[in-house]
Amino acid sequence: MIGYLVLVALQIAAAWFGAPSVLKFIPLSGDPRTFIHAAVFAVIVWIVGVLGSLVLKDVRMPTTSTLATALILALIGAGLLFIPQVMAAIPFRFDRMALPLAGAILGYMIRR
């Protein structure tokens, strides 16, 4: 259990701070960039999961279906950003890209 908590903390930090570095190399702007950002979140979360499974005790190796689930939920989170009713229904303010990151982490944890 502790291994997964450490893994989630590593995934959040790596994705949050690593995605802008990766996105510098992708020449895209506007609304599609949000979906690319979500996909980069999912890939980074999965890669950190693979590396974490090699280092951390009692953490299983993620499969490609884990990557697919993380990618799908991250893209759903990015899609929710474009629905004004959903964003208005959330009672507190947060960084918009936290929603796709949460989707990627949730997708990873569902299929781990």
Side-chain angles (χ1 to χ4, degrees):
M1 181 68 179
I2 296 292
Y4 282 112
L5 292 175
V6 171
L7 181 63
V8 167
L10 287 173
Q11 287 172 327
I12 290 171
W16 191 258
F17 295 114
S21 300
V22 173
L23 288 171
K24 288 190 297 190
F25 299 106
I26 301 174
L28 196 61
S29 63
D31 290 341
R33 187 169 180 88
T34 304
F35 292 100
I36 297 300
H37 202 141
V40 169
F41 276 158
V43 170
I44 291 175
V45 163
W46 185 76
I47 289 172
V48 171
V50 169
L51 295 175
S53 70
L54 298 174
V55 175
L56 296 170
K57 186 176 181 180
D58 296 329
V59 175
R60 286 182 271 150
M61 177 74 73
T63 61
T64 54
S65 65
T66 306
L67 174 62
T69 307
L71 183 61
I72 289 168
L73 287 182
L75 291 175
I76 289 172
L80 290 176
L81 294 175
F82 294 103
I83 302 173
Q85 294 85 0
V86 171
M87 295 307 291
I90 299 174
F92 52 89
R93 298 285 174 221
F94 59 92
D95 190 349
R96 290 174 44 99
M97 292 313 293
L99 205 54
L101 178 58
I105 296 290
L106 184 64
Y108 180 86
M109 285 295 142
I110 287 173
R111 294 295 297 213
R112 63 182 163 103

